[in-house]
Amino acid sequence: MAKKINLTPAGKLFFASVLNSITTGNMKSMFRIKGEPEKLRALSKAIQATKEYYDELKNPNSTIESVMKKLQKKHEVAQEFKDITGKDWPL
């Protein structure tokens, strides 16, 4: 069962934009994000790991092993994101 994450309307818009960017390959964002450098690095790493995972899923030459490796990395980075921010990575 998936864990429910409560987001503000701005948070929903942000993560919808991130997911759209990841799935379409257009990584330019309409958002300027300010915050603590450590939290911004964690966010950047989480977005990048999520993008790499979705890219691997779409790759017709991927293998189960390559997909699982990207998924594991995404989980590791998501845990790091949670450790740093106190928030679950919603993607």
Side-chain angles (χ1 to χ4, degrees):
M1 175 180 264
K3 183 176 182 180
K4 183 176 179 180
I5 299 173
N6 294 317
L7 295 172
T8 64
K12 290 176 184 177
L13 179 61
F14 172 75
F15 284 108
S17 174
V18 168
L19 186 57
N20 181 57
S21 297
I22 288 169
T23 57
T24 63
N26 181 8
M27 290 301 290
K28 292 184 180 181
S29 176
M30 65 178 151
F31 296 98
R32 277 196 98 82
I33 303 170
K34 295 180 182 179
E36 299 170 35
E38 183 180 32
K39 290 181 179 179
L40 293 176
R41 277 191 296 278
L43 175 63
S44 178
K45 286 175 69 174
I47 291 170
Q48 185 62 38
T50 302
K51 180 185 182 326
E52 290 173 4
Y53 170 65
Y54 281 100
D55 286 347
E56 194 66 21
L57 283 176
K58 293 188 298 186
N59 181 352
N61 298 320
S62 66
T63 63
I64 291 173
E65 291 81 15
S66 66
V67 170
M68 293 305 295
K69 183 177 179 182
K70 298 292 183 181
L71 179 60
Q72 179 61 35
K73 177 67 174 176
K74 186 174 100 52
H75 285 306
E76 290 169 4
V77 172
Q79 183 60 51
E80 183 179 329
F81 178 85
K82 184 175 183 172
D83 292 345
I84 291 170
T85 66
K87 309 281 185 193
D88 289 321
W89 179 245
L91 300 178

